[in-house]
Amino acid sequence: MTETREAAITQIKDLIETHHLSEFDILELCKKSSIQDSKPANLLQLTIMYLGGIFIFAGLGVYINMIWDDINSLSRVIITLGSGFVAFILSLLCTSDARFTKALTPFIIIAGILQPVGLFVFMDEYLPHAGNVTLPACYVMGFMLVQQFIAFMATGVTGFLFFSVFFFYSFICMIFNLWEIRDLIVPVVIGISGLMVAWGIDQTSHRSITPFYYFCMSGIAAIASFDLLQETKFDILLVGVSCILIYVAMMAASRTILTVAVISLLGYLVYFTDEYFKNIVGWPIALIILGLVMIGVSAYAVKIGKNISSHV
Amino acid sequence: MSAASFIKGNKVLIAGVVLPFLLIIALMLSRLATIEPPQYKALFYVSKPSVIGTIKVTPNSDGKISAVFQPKDAGSVIENNGTANPSAVLYLYDGKSGSLESTEVTLDQNNQVTPLQKFQDLEILPDAIAPDGYEFKRSYYISRTSILIDIFGGRRHYDGPVLTKNKYVMEIVGVNDYYNRTKFLGWVNEGASK
């Protein structure tokens, strides 16, 4: 028994060295095992605990809002930026101790929300107002991007990567605003870029954050394409946009992108019907045809979804 | 997997990160390459409403401008926001430097229009479109925009005068026109000013 156990540990050690697995990969595996073993009672307890935490946090937020006008500038900065920075430090401490792994993500989320708010409060309280919020927003998003990315590089925690991506695109949006770049192609490129980044992350062990970005970025790409092409002679290309999204969904094995692609296709079909068939005699027939097309598209989407499930 | 190998092993991810920066560079270069600044200054004026009439500025046949007082007809409606004394502010916008000069004319004690001062010697081309292709629009708004740009970029509220050429729009900031009474007079050639 002892020899078998030692042999197993040696084998695990070899596997870790061969595949360059980090302690977080192992922890992730242990976490999945513990979730599978947990009973519904534990899940209920956990849910109630999280709800309790949210209530406490909401209560503090409401209380701070009530006393906001009565406290001085330094107190406002300490309450927001100070709390956020402390949460960030605590999240870093949690990464070094396996006992506090469950507290890691909440601390990262709190730090990711409170720190930028605190930086805005700091600038509002202590710096002269120039009337243009874009430049300070650039500084805030840039600072948060650097902080979160360095934290990710140092710890390899997925939560930091999530906020790195979030603040990266926030920073990019602020840059476009700052330089008055408002071309309709901009959101299209942002959507494509976001899909590429999410795809890249999907190939790593940090893939748990990709559904959120797949949803947001494919939605942005679809809406931006509509804004770019609607009421132009190239609006027929909108169907191509949906087809590309469905293709990407198949390649990425993502039902999230597939959902957005199907919704966008239905939306485009409504646009075409409204644009070209509304004022003709066959409008009710067009509606019936649209309904049949929608049923067909949904059936096709279900078929693709099953294919994706079989590939995952 | 270390962070360095994570970056090296993900070319699609790196391409996605670089893509917005390439777009920024491409758009900035395209603007610099295609747009030349306006060669002609734009002359326009804004008349303020009055209960007794308005001051109108018009181009003469010799290319100069003159201001005249036009009394209100007896039967016309008195404007709510009208002041007692009519006035008009003339603006000269230089698209090259972005500078905006102005002068105001009003009625003196004898109900005569005050002199145009520094703009009275200007010679103007009263064409709608300048020889270099720029066009003056008194109230410009972005007709086609994206809901995403409005959400993430903030909706623009600018609806003042602009100079436009093709798709390029140059906002003339600093014009005081609450009543949308901007009227274009003409283009001023740099060398024509005496």
Side-chain angles (χ1 to χ4, degrees), chain A residues 184-259:
Chain A
L184 291 173
I185 192 72
V186 169
V188 179
V189 173
I190 293 283
I192 293 169
S193 161
L195 279 174
M196 291 170 78
V197 168
W199 178 301
I201 294 170
D202 204 11
Q203 312 306 313
T204 70
S205 59
H206 305 284
R207 66 178 62 86
S208 58
I209 63 171
T210 52
F212 173 80
Y213 286 111
Y214 273 149
F215 179 78
C216 292
M217 294 304 177
S218 56
I220 286 173
I223 295 170
S225 303
F226 181 72
D227 288 332
L228 182 68
L229 297 171
Q230 67 164 326
E231 293 171 3
T232 67
K233 57 185 175 183
F234 302 110
D235 59 359
I236 191 66
L237 294 176
L238 287 170
V239 177
V241 172
S242 290
C243 292
I244 290 170
L245 282 176
I246 290 171
Y247 178 72
V248 172
M250 291 289 289
M251 293 295 288
S254 167
R255 274 170 288 187
T256 312
I257 302 177
L258 182 66
T259 306

Side-chain angles (χ1 to χ4, degrees), chain A residues 20 153 168 172 175-177 179-184 187 189 193 196-197 200-201 204 220 223-224 227-228 230, chain B residues 1 3 6 10 12-13 15-17 19-21 23-24 27-28 31 144-149 152-154 156:
Chain A
H20 305 289
M153 295 279 276
F168 171 72
I172 291 291
I175 290 286
F176 280 117
N177 283 333
W179 290 342
E180 292 285 330
I181 300 172
R182 302 176 68 84
D183 299 65
L184 291 173
V189 173
S193 161
M196 291 170 78
V197 168
I201 294 170
T204 70
I220 286 173
I223 295 170
D227 288 332
L228 182 68
Q230 67 164 326
Chain B
M1 182 185 285
F6 163 76
N10 291 275
V12 177
L13 193 152
V17 170
L19 194 60
F21 294 106
L23 177 69
I24 291 173
L27 289 175
M28 298 299 269
R31 285 185 184 184
R144 284 194 69 214
T145 185
S146 167
I147 188 172
L148 295 166
I149 293 174
F152 297 109
R156 295 289 308 278

Side-chain angles (χ1 to χ4, degrees), chain B residues 38-50:
Chain B
Q39 301 299 312
Y40 295 82
K41 295 179 180 179
L43 184 67
F44 57 98
Y45 78 101
V46 180
S47 62
K48 292 182 180 175
S50 161

Side-chain angles (χ1 to χ4, degrees), chain B:
Chain B
M1 182 185 285
S2 70
S5 60
F6 163 76
I7 292 172
K8 285 177 185 173
N10 291 275
K11 290 176 183 174
V12 177
L13 193 152
I14 300 302
V17 170
V18 172
L19 194 60
F21 294 106
L22 291 177
L23 177 69
I24 291 173
I25 293 167
L27 289 175
M28 298 299 269
L29 286 176
S30 68
R31 285 185 184 184
L32 288 173
T34 56
I35 300 300
E36 290 180 5
Q39 301 299 312
Y40 295 82
K41 295 179 180 179
L43 184 67
F44 57 98
Y45 78 101
V46 180
S47 62
K48 292 182 180 175
S50 161
V51 293
I52 60 170
T54 54
I55 292 176
K56 286 196 172 179
V57 184
T58 50
N60 302 326
S61 57
D62 60 352
K64 302 287 176 63
I65 53 170
S66 61
V68 293
F69 174 62
Q70 192 174 47
K72 193 174 283 293
D73 296 335
S76 62
V77 179
I78 296 173
E79 295 187 48
N80 291 331
N81 297 318
T83 56
N85 202 19
S87 63
V89 181
L90 282 90
Y91 293 96
L92 184 65
Y93 179 69
D94 185 359
K96 279 183 187 172
S97 62
S99 63
L100 183 69
E101 295 178 65
S102 66
T103 185
E104 185 170 8
V105 291
T106 183
L107 291 183
D108 59 16
Q109 293 175 342
N110 301 319
N111 275 353
Q112 297 297 312
V113 179
T114 54
L116 285 168
Q117 298 177 358
K118 55 185 174 182
F119 294 158
Q120 62 188 350
D121 292 331
L122 293 175
E123 287 187 13
I124 62 168
L125 296 168
D127 302 331
I129 299 174
D132 59 3
Y134 275 90
E135 185 179 3
F136 180 90
K137 290 182 179 174
R138 69 174 191 171
S139 181
Y140 180 84
Y141 64 95
I142 300 165
S143 56
R144 284 194 69 214
T145 185
S146 167
I147 188 172
L148 295 166
I149 293 174
D150 290 341
I151 292 171
F152 297 109
R155 179 174 278 278
R156 295 289 308 278
H157 291 288
Y158 182 82
D159 59 353
V162 294
L163 298 184
T164 65
K165 184 179 180 182
N166 299 329
K167 289 183 177 178
Y168 181 64
V169 178
M170 185 178 278
E171 296 174 2
I172 304 175
V173 182
V175 178
N176 188 4
D177 181 13
Y178 294 114
Y179 308 105
N180 197 19
R181 286 168 165 264
T182 301
K183 284 193 171 58
F184 180 64
L185 292 169
W187 303 97
V188 179
N189 196 340
E190 190 78 48
S193 179
K194 292 177 183 177

Side-chain angles (χ1 to χ4, degrees), chain A:
Chain A
M1 181 68 185
T2 311
E3 284 179 5
T4 311
R5 189 171 180 274
E6 283 174 356
I9 290 171
T10 310
Q11 200 175 353
I12 290 168
K13 196 179 171 186
D14 290 342
L15 282 170
I16 289 171
E17 285 174 359
T18 307
H19 297 286
H20 305 289
L21 297 174
S22 69
E23 57 186 301
F24 297 105
D25 297 324
I26 308 299
L27 280 173
E28 192 73 18
L29 195 67
C30 296
K31 200 164 49 178
K32 279 180 184 170
S33 305
S34 65
I35 289 170
Q36 284 167 358
D37 294 341
S38 63
K39 293 175 182 175
N42 291 343
L43 185 66
L44 181 67
Q45 185 188 9
L46 199 65
T47 307
I48 292 171
M49 282 171 70
Y50 275 125
L51 276 174
I54 290 168
F55 275 120
I56 292 169
F57 201 67
L60 284 170
V62 171
Y63 177 69
I64 290 167
N65 185 45
M66 287 167 69
I67 63 166
W68 189 257
D69 292 333
D70 302 326
I71 57 178
N72 59 24
S73 298
L74 184 62
S75 303
R76 291 174 184 173
V77 173
I78 289 172
I79 283 173
T80 51
L81 183 58
S83 306
F85 193 67
V86 167
F88 176 67
I89 298 295
L90 287 173
S91 67
L92 290 178
L93 291 174
C94 286
T95 59
S96 59
D97 196 326
R99 290 175 300 167
F100 304 122
T101 310
K102 285 183 179 176
L104 179 60
T105 305
F107 276 132
I108 291 173
I109 293 171
I110 291 169
I113 294 170
L114 281 183
Q115 282 188 109
V117 172
L119 286 168
F120 278 117
V121 170
F122 170 76
M123 287 191 283
D124 183 55
E125 297 290 340
Y126 289 108
L127 300 182
H129 291 192
N132 181 12
V133 77
T134 311
L135 188 60
C138 257
Y139 290 137
V140 169
M141 298 308 164
F143 173 80
M144 289 303 301
L145 168 63
V146 171
Q147 184 204 61
Q148 296 290 309
F149 190 67
I150 289 173
F152 167 68
M153 295 279 276
T155 63
V157 174
T158 308
F160 291 126
L161 180 63
F162 176 86
F163 277 105
S164 297
V165 176
F166 178 82
F167 287 118
F168 171 72
Y169 283 104
S170 303
F171 178 69
I172 291 291
C173 286
M174 292 304 118
I175 290 286
F176 280 117
N177 283 333
L178 188 67
W179 290 342
E180 292 285 330
I181 300 172
R182 302 176 68 84
D183 299 65
L184 291 173
I185 192 72
V186 169
V188 179
V189 173
I190 293 283
I192 293 169
S193 161
L195 279 174
M196 291 170 78
V197 168
W199 178 301
I201 294 170
D202 204 11
Q203 312 306 313
T204 70
S205 59
H206 305 284
R207 66 178 62 86
S208 58
I209 63 171
T210 52
F212 173 80
Y213 286 111
Y214 273 149
F215 179 78
C216 292
M217 294 304 177
S218 56
I220 286 173
I223 295 170
S225 303
F226 181 72
D227 288 332
L228 182 68
L229 297 171
Q230 67 164 326
E231 293 171 3
T232 67
K233 57 185 175 183
F234 302 110
D235 59 359
I236 191 66
L237 294 176
L238 287 170
V239 177
V241 172
S242 290
C243 292
I244 290 170
L245 282 176
I246 290 171
Y247 178 72
V248 172
M250 291 289 289
M251 293 295 288
S254 167
R255 274 170 288 187
T256 312
I257 302 177
L258 182 66
T259 306
V260 175
V262 170
I263 291 171
S264 68
L265 183 58
L266 296 179
Y268 297 156
L269 288 173
V270 170
Y271 161 75
F272 285 125
T273 310
D274 180 60
E275 189 74 12
Y276 297 108
F277 304 111
K278 189 172 71 174
N279 295 322
I280 62 174
V281 182
W283 168 236
I285 298 170
L287 275 179
I288 293 166
I289 292 170
L290 180 65
L292 290 172
V293 168
M294 283 183 171
I295 292 167
V297 167
S298 61
Y300 183 61
V302 169
K303 191 180 173 185
I304 294 174
K306 282 179 182 172
N307 285 344
I308 287 173
S309 300
S310 63
H311 281 85
V312 172

